[in-house]
Amino acid sequence: MRNLLIVLSGPSGVGKGTIVGELLKSGKYFLSVSCTTRTPRDGEREGVHYFFLTKERFEKLIKEGGLLEYSNHFENYYGTPKAFVESKLKEGDVILEIEVDGALQVKRAHPEALLIMIVPPSEEELKRRLEKRGLEKNGNAEERVKRMRYELSKKEMYDYVVVNDDLQRAVDEVKQIIKKEKGD
Ligand code: 5GP
């Protein structure tokens, strides 16, 4: 049995946050908390949802080699603190919930990482979900649809693609994949 670095990605609105929440309920995984330069949304807490940094501090972290990966999207930096991931991997499985550019950087640095992309049943369905969610998140509808297409265009580079047609079914599939990869 080996400890896994599990990377979950998928376009915004696809439900990956909910899937991660379900996985964490088992108490089996460590979730990496990312750094970002975006402003906190209502209810978001420092060190829980993100470490909220200034652009200067983020760029210093990049220079110091403190990030396992980072990317600049929706006009902000997002990145994974390296030290946390490396120390927790000695204790158990670690989950990263990050977008595609960062995920592919992780795969280059850690070819053994398990990359899972969560996709919607159809592009139309995701567009509907994004419209329902409103404009408070990440740019206008057009930008988000563009980003969604970009993310989906990278799915062949992932180890597994899971369709979130039904939350419980998708969670079970992700759990099965992890179990298989761990050789349990
Ligand atoms: P949000 O601003 O809605 O919290 O996140 C926007 C996007 O950034 C999501 O797709 C999320 O998965 C991604 N993201 C969050 N943390 C990181 C990170 O550390 N690195 C990268 N590359 N993407 C991240």
Side-chain angles (χ1 to χ4, degrees), residues 23-37:
L23 293 174
L24 291 177
K25 279 186 189 164
S26 68
K28 285 195 208 161
Y29 308 103
F30 297 103
L31 177 67
S32 162
V33 178
S34 299
C35 301
T36 184
T37 57

Side-chain angles (χ1 to χ4, degrees), residues 9 38 46 52 62 87 94:
S9 307
R38 82 150 161 75
E46 169 73 14
F52 295 98
I62 298 173
S87 80
V94 180

